Amino acid sequence: MTTPAAIAPVAPPARRFADALPTRRRVAFAAALLVAPVALWRFGAGAAGIVGILFFAVLAVLAVKDLEKQRIPNVIVLPATAAMLLAVGVLQPHHLLEAVLAAVAAAAFRFLPGVLAKCGVGLGDVKLALLLGATLGRGVAVALFLGCLAASVAGVTLIVRNGSGARKTAVPFAPFLAFGAVAAIALGARHAF
């Protein structure tokens, strides 16, 4: 039986959110500003453009946090996924089913290979794929392809530079998934909202 003194106090929600943000907030902010014009270009200056900018800002925060700590905080990625599904439901209700199915398929795409191969696919990457699917709908396939392609180039570069020992190096995947999403949108891939 656990005594009350042995139970760790739970931080209030605002503190958990603050702790989930990257230490290098300015880097995340700069990255979000850098890609914001892509959202405005592809989605326009209306509600969809604002949603696109917020989506890119979340991707920037998650990518920087993954680079720093190799983790993708639930307190950011799960509410962002819910917000994107809500945005799809409001802005493009006829795409909502597509967004939900794409979210599940993208998460399964990231989850199943890790389970089958017993390799180190983080569940944060699975939840990030869920967010990408919820936002991009069918376009998530292009985003995942581009993200995996960019990660493969980085992986080959690591192996060429550091030899076969680099195969055991943990590489944060969120920056590559974020790149894939931004690149897919810039290239005109379909999106759910």
Side-chain angles (χ1 to χ4, degrees), residues 13-42:
R15 183 76 238 154
R16 286 189 301 233
F17 182 76
D19 290 342
L21 293 173
T23 305
R24 296 181 181 101
R25 289 178 179 94
R26 289 182 180 162
V27 173
F29 183 70
L33 282 178
L34 183 69
V35 296
V38 174
L40 292 174
W41 171 54
R42 296 300 302 163

Side-chain angles (χ1 to χ4, degrees), residues 85 88 94-106 129-146 180-181 184-185 188-193:
L85 285 172
V88 170
H94 57 284
H95 286 179
L96 186 57
L97 179 60
E98 173 190 331
V100 170
L101 293 176
V104 171
L130 186 78
L131 170 62
L132 297 181
T135 307
L136 299 176
R138 288 183 212 163
V140 74
V142 176
L144 291 174
F145 172 76
L146 294 173
I185 289 171
R190 279 186 49 106
H191 51 85
F193 66 92

Side-chain angles (χ1 to χ4, degrees), residues 37-127:
V38 174
L40 292 174
W41 171 54
R42 296 300 302 163
F43 305 130
I50 292 169
V51 171
I53 289 172
L54 293 175
F55 172 61
F56 285 174
V58 168
L59 290 180
V61 166
L62 293 175
V64 172
K65 184 66 173 189
D66 199 26
L67 284 168
E68 289 178 350
K69 303 280 185 178
Q70 291 191 345
R71 87 182 178 90
I72 298 171
N74 289 344
V75 72
I76 296 174
V77 73
L78 295 178
T81 302
M84 289 299 123
L85 285 172
L86 179 64
V88 170
V90 169
L91 297 174
Q92 299 287 337
H94 57 284
H95 286 179
L96 186 57
L97 179 60
E98 173 190 331
V100 170
L101 293 176
V104 171
F109 174 79
R110 289 297 306 140
F111 180 71
L112 291 177
V115 169
L116 297 175
K118 297 179 184 164
C119 64
V121 173
L123 288 181
D125 296 330
V126 173
K127 289 176 266 190

